[in-house]
């Protein structure tokens, strides 16, 4: 392909994304384009034989061991999906993550609570345990644990100051005195305390060297402690989630390049130097798909209110607020298509939206 043709193609893809941000591309067309992108990535990641598929996984794991613990982590600190106003979080149901939908009548708030209760059950939590929540965000899990286990000390780590302020404000309003929030980068922070239970929910996707990350966590675990870790995954291949080509508009625009990893469902089984896997669960991607479907409907139902919230919180004008709303709509639409693909768990790309592992530190 000539340089002129390549430049034209890149320009066309840039124009496509700009039109998406401006809301000029219909939801139906976005869904169609997303399905095409999913199928291309499946074709890229799926190898002809089991031997080749395993070789891809082993090569991927080996490459992680040669990297820093995380790359470009600072670029995520003020990312749109993490630095969000609490009034917006309340509209969308508390978090942009997977809840547990047990039937058609389950609300997103109920689904989030069911998922957090499942975390507690699988972590074997008892009142009085010391608990660490790494990458605690706006504190949905921290506050849930603090209310449910009044005798436990809950420590959360976030790198977002507004999240820390909100959690502490909620603790004051709820008369909770068993919470400590540390403002820090989880890859750099040093903690002297050890904990009975450590939660890592939706965080390891932003790490690179899993060996170093799990080694760091193991130092914060008591000898009989457990780590409950949840991450997005694909059933058979791992992915650095970087653009496959210049027309890969999805991978190019939602997360900064180099900041996201989607491990396979078995990837962490190869990283047991400092922790030992003692259990392993998989959850259908339909749960995450439905979460995003509900969030999209809630945003659409309160467009003007969300617009005012964004303008006030970020100090931006109406046009930029509308673009940000469109970004969130695009995120929900594409995530819905991604996680419900092949009914959320059959043969398609990343069909398994969640995996939790309990890990013990090595003696």
């Amino acid at each position: 392909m000539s340089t002129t043709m390549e430049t034209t193609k890149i320009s066309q893809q840039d124009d496509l994304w700009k039109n998406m941000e401006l809301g000029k591309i219909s939801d139906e067309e976005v869904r169609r384009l997303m399905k095409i992108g999913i199928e291309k990535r499946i074709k890229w990641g799926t190898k002809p034989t089991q031997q080749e598929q395993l070789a891809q996984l082993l090569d991927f794991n080996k490459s992680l061991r040669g990297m820093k613990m995380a790359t470009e982590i600072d670029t995520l600190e003020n990312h749109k999906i993490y630095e969000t106003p609490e009034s917006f979080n309340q509209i969308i149901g508390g978090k942009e993550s997977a809840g547990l939908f047990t039937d058609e009548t389950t609300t997103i708030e109920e689904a989030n609570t069911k998922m957090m209760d499942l975390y507690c059950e699988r972590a074997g939590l008892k009142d009085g345990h010391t608990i660490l929540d790494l990458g605690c965000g706006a504190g949905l899990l921290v506050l849930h644990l603090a209310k449910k286990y009044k005798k436990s000390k809950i420590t959360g780590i976030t790198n977002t100051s507004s999240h820390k302020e909100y959690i502490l404000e909620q603790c004051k309003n709820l008369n909770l005195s068993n919470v400590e929030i540390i403002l820090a980068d989880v890859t750099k922070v040093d903690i002297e305390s050890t904990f009975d239970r450590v939660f890592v929910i939706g965080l390891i996707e932003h790490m690179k060297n899993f060996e170093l990350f799990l080694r760091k966590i193991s130092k914060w675990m008591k000898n009989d402690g457990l780590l409950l870790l949840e991450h997005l995954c694909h059933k058979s291949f791992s992915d650095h989630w970087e653009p496959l080509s210049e027309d890969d508009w999805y991978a190019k625009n939602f997360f900064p390049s180099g900041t996201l990893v989607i491990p396979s469902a078995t990837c962490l089984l190869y990283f047991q130097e400092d922790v030992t896997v003692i259990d392993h669960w998989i959850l259908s991607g339909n749960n995450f798909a439905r979460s995003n479907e509900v969030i999209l409907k809630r945003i659409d139902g309160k467009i003007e209110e969300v617009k005012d919230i964004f303008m006030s919180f970020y100090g931006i004008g109406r046009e930029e607020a509308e673009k940000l709303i469109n970004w969130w709509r695009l995120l929900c639409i594409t995530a819905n298509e991604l996680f419900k693909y092949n009914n959320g768990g059959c043969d398609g790309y990343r069909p398994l939206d969640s995996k939790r592992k309990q890990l013990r530190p090595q003696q």
Side-chain angles (χ1 to χ4, degrees):
M1 184 181 291
S2 70
T3 302
T4 301
M5 291 178 65
E6 289 177 350
T7 303
T8 300
K9 188 174 183 180
I10 292 170
S11 177
Q12 289 173 343
Q13 292 305 316
D14 289 343
D15 288 343
L16 171 65
W17 177 252
K18 288 176 183 177
N19 285 329
M20 285 183 176
E21 282 193 307
L22 293 172
K24 294 182 178 181
I25 308 295
S26 70
D27 293 356
E28 291 74 18
E29 180 65 4
V30 172
R31 291 182 186 278
R32 186 186 74 83
L33 293 171
M34 185 61 188
K35 289 174 184 175
I36 292 172
I38 294 169
E39 288 163 1
K40 285 182 178 178
R41 198 165 284 266
I42 292 172
K43 185 177 180 180
W44 165 83
T46 303
K47 306 305 177 186
T49 67
Q50 285 185 317
Q51 286 183 328
E52 291 174 276
Q53 198 72 62
L54 179 59
Q56 187 266 1
L57 175 60
L58 296 178
D59 287 344
F60 180 88
N61 294 344
K62 184 178 179 180
S63 74
L64 294 183
R65 294 180 185 276
M67 295 181 177
K68 296 189 297 183
M69 189 183 301
T71 59
E72 307 297 333
I73 193 94
D74 292 341
T75 64
L76 289 172
E77 184 173 349
N78 297 313
H79 195 270
K80 301 168 187 175
I81 201 172
Y82 299 117
E83 182 67 26
T84 53
E86 187 53 35
S87 50
F88 174 67
N89 295 341
Q90 293 302 315
I91 289 175
I92 66 174
K95 64 173 182 174
E96 204 285 320
S97 187
L100 183 63
F101 292 88
T102 52
D103 57 54
E104 291 301 316
T105 66
T106 305
T107 67
I108 195 167
E109 288 84 4
E110 291 169 341
N112 288 339
T113 298
K114 288 175 185 289
M115 184 65 84
M116 290 186 291
D117 283 338
L118 185 61
Y119 295 158
C120 297
E121 176 188 334
R122 288 179 167 172
L125 270 181
K126 296 179 180 178
D127 205 1
H129 275 158
T130 52
I131 304 167
L132 175 64
D133 182 9
L134 288 177
C136 67
L140 194 66
L141 179 58
V142 165
L143 295 171
H144 181 79
L145 296 173
K147 289 184 286 186
K148 188 168 184 175
Y149 302 99
K150 296 290 182 64
K151 296 178 182 178
S152 290
K153 174 67 180 296
I154 321 296
T155 301
I157 298 180
T158 177
N159 65 351
T160 305
S161 57
S162 62
H163 287 164
K164 177 178 179 178
E165 292 168 6
Y166 172 76
I167 297 169
L168 295 179
E169 180 183 355
Q170 290 302 303
C171 288
K172 184 177 179 180
N173 294 339
L174 296 168
N175 198 28
L176 297 173
S177 59
N178 57 340
V179 172
E180 178 186 8
I181 302 298
I182 299 172
L183 182 63
D185 177 341
V186 297
T187 66
K188 299 175 182 177
V189 68
D190 190 18
I191 304 173
E192 293 184 2
S193 303
T194 56
F195 300 85
D196 295 299
R197 299 291 184 268
V198 178
F199 288 88
V200 176
I201 310 298
L203 174 61
I204 202 168
E205 294 94 332
H206 297 299
M207 299 296 114
K208 287 292 186 179
N209 193 320
F210 294 166
E211 179 184 10
L212 295 180
F213 183 56
L214 292 172
R215 180 171 300 157
K216 186 179 185 75
I217 293 173
S218 71
K219 295 176 182 178
W220 299 332
M221 298 169 63
K222 294 182 179 179
N223 288 336
D224 58 349
L226 292 176
L227 163 65
L228 188 138
L229 190 151
E230 178 190 78
H231 68 82
L232 308 176
C233 65
H234 181 270
K235 66 174 183 178
S236 57
F237 65 82
S238 297
D239 187 357
H240 280 290
W241 202 256
E242 294 177 345
L244 299 180
S245 62
E246 288 298 337
D247 62 355
D248 192 350
W249 57 271
Y250 182 81
K252 285 172 65 177
N253 291 289
F254 278 108
F255 285 96
S257 179
T259 62
L260 189 64
V261 170
I262 306 298
S264 73
T266 59
C267 181
L268 291 186
L269 297 177
Y270 292 87
F271 293 90
Q272 298 193 60
E273 291 86 354
D274 299 283
V275 292
T276 301
V277 177
I278 62 171
D279 218 331
H280 182 185
W281 302 274
I282 289 174
L283 187 67
S284 168
N286 284 327
N287 288 281
F288 203 7
R290 185 165 166 188
S291 289
N292 281 278
E293 180 183 357
V294 173
I295 292 170
L296 178 63
K297 289 179 179 178
R298 291 194 170 189
I299 291 173
D300 286 348
K302 295 190 175 183
I303 286 283
E304 291 303 318
E305 183 178 342
V306 172
K307 193 180 301 181
D308 289 340
I309 289 171
F310 285 169
M311 290 171 64
S312 174
F313 184 79
Y314 296 108
I316 56 179
R318 182 165 293 273
E319 184 177 336
E320 285 301 308
E322 289 172 353
K323 285 179 64 176
L324 185 52
I325 288 172
N326 288 332
W327 185 92
W328 271 96
R329 294 192 77 259
L330 288 166
L331 180 68
C332 292
I333 291 169
T334 53
N336 177 260
E337 291 297 327
L338 182 62
F339 289 103
K340 74 180 182 182
Y341 193 81
N342 276 2
N343 196 32
C346 297
D347 302 312
Y349 178 72
R350 210 168 66 169
L352 310 171
D353 85 316
S354 176
K355 178 177 64 175
R356 282 172 298 280
K357 294 172 175 285
Q358 289 183 314
L359 304 103
R360 293 188 188 275
Q362 297 282 18
Q363 301 299 310

